Amino acid sequence: MSDQTGFRRNGTRGLALALGVAVVGVLAPASPASAAVPGLVRISATSASNSSDFRSVTATCPVGKVLVGTGYEITGATGEVVVDDFTPNGGTLTAPTAVTVGAYEADAFAGNWTVTAYAICANPLAGLVRVSALSPTDSNDFHSVTAACPTGKVLTGAGFELTGVTGEGVVDDFRPNGGTVNAPTAVTVGAYEADSFVDNWTAAAYAICANPVAGLSRITVLSAIDSGDFRSVVAACPTGKVLTGGGFEVNGATGEAVVDDFTPNGGVATAPVLVVSGAYEEDPFAGNWDIRSFAICADR
């Protein structure tokens, strides 16, 4: 007859006790902790290359995944093209699954150029939604608006949209809040008129929000401050973290610098861990300016 441990009294346990050896249970190896944002990948889509005034492209997450962050890249225009449509889909009750990037030539430009949209995608996250906020509609030179996540949710990524300016507006503030120990919960979008523009226009901010995500924080890296024509800076997540989204901020240029590179790394089978933010002067500008790159990072 077996005792309560399932060992026979004259078996291994009995022998160990007789020899005065303690019996220690062998624990199974612990399962690895679940990723805070499982299945994270970066998807890209690139428009046609030509010299048309306007270009638009949509990057869509694979079936079964949702959009947690965004990115874009203009190639071939070196400051002559502005992004005024950087819009995740979804809504207050619907998880986003794609991002559309639309860009106009700021001035007549004869060369060929392309726009690339980047979608940072993951397995479904609890509570994922997209919220938006709209600035006043007027003809002021500057517009600013903040989209905040619902109470109890955090910001994983963001987007923006300018309406009514068709290439005359420049977003130079696309700034998630938060910090190295605080999860972001909102994004502020600020935009200037690139040239004098008399019509009314608006700026929209889009926040991609989810239930709390383990280790979520915002990393900030600042470029050099000078009067050079081009500036670029990389914000990388700390070791052991992955990138869900990001942002940028241009200081000192007040609409004279165009961010045409906001590119997360990664790929269709690789989680992103950094974002590159690069900007050109749209017209010659003698003042000093800089660009900040923001990375939103979560535990791997």
Side-chain angles (χ1 to χ4, degrees):
M1 177 181 178
S2 299
D3 63 11
Q4 292 180 344
T5 66
F7 290 95
R8 295 196 178 274
R9 294 187 186 277
N10 61 350
T12 304
R13 183 170 184 268
L15 176 60
L17 293 174
L19 295 173
V21 178
V23 178
V24 180
V26 178
L27 298 177
S31 298
S34 297
V37 187
L40 198 68
V41 295
R42 189 206 70 175
I43 305 300
S44 64
T46 301
S47 73
S49 177
N50 56 45
S51 60
S52 297
D53 176 65
F54 176 72
R55 199 86 73 263
S56 180
V57 67
T58 298
T60 302
C61 293
V63 174
K65 290 186 183 285
V66 293
L67 184 81
V68 297
T70 58
Y72 68 80
E73 184 176 8
I74 305 297
T75 302
T78 59
E80 298 300 328
V81 168
V82 296
V83 171
D84 76 345
D85 186 6
F86 185 37
T87 310
N89 68 351
T92 56
L93 299 175
T94 309
T97 57
V99 59
T100 297
V101 180
Y104 287 91
E105 293 180 358
D107 295 309
F109 178 70
N112 293 334
W113 59 279
T114 64
V115 58
T116 299
Y118 296 106
I120 302 176
C121 306
N123 296 349
L125 289 185
L128 194 72
V129 294
R130 188 211 71 176
V131 300
S132 61
L134 192 64
S135 77
T137 301
D138 55 42
S139 60
N140 289 346
D141 176 67
F142 178 71
H143 287 68
S144 181
V145 62
T146 298
C149 292
T151 301
K153 291 184 185 287
V154 295
L155 183 85
T156 64
F160 60 78
E161 185 176 6
L162 304 183
T163 302
V165 284
T166 58
E168 298 297 334
V170 174
V171 172
D172 75 346
D173 189 4
F174 179 50
R175 176 171 38 87
N177 68 352
T180 55
V181 295
N182 299 316
T185 57
V187 61
T188 297
V189 173
Y192 287 90
E193 294 179 359
D195 296 305
S196 182
F197 181 73
V198 297
D199 289 340
N200 292 334
W201 60 285
T202 60
Y206 297 102
I208 301 173
C209 307
N211 292 353
V213 173
L216 199 71
S217 61
R218 188 202 70 177
I219 305 302
T220 307
V221 180
L222 177 65
S223 76
I225 302 172
D226 56 42
S227 60
D229 177 66
F230 176 72
R231 202 83 74 260
S232 182
V233 65
V234 177
C237 293
T239 301
K241 295 198 175 218
V242 290
L243 184 86
T244 67
F248 56 79
E249 183 180 14
V250 176
N251 291 291
T254 59
E256 297 298 330
V258 174
V259 178
D260 75 346
D261 185 4
F262 175 55
T263 307
N265 71 342
V268 295
T270 308
V273 295
L274 61 82
V275 60
V276 179
S277 298
Y280 285 91
E281 293 181 358
E282 195 265 319
D283 292 312
F285 178 69
N288 292 334
W289 60 283
D290 65 70
I291 182 171
R292 286 175 171 84
S293 188
F294 301 106
I296 301 175
C297 305
D299 288 349
R300 183 178 288 276

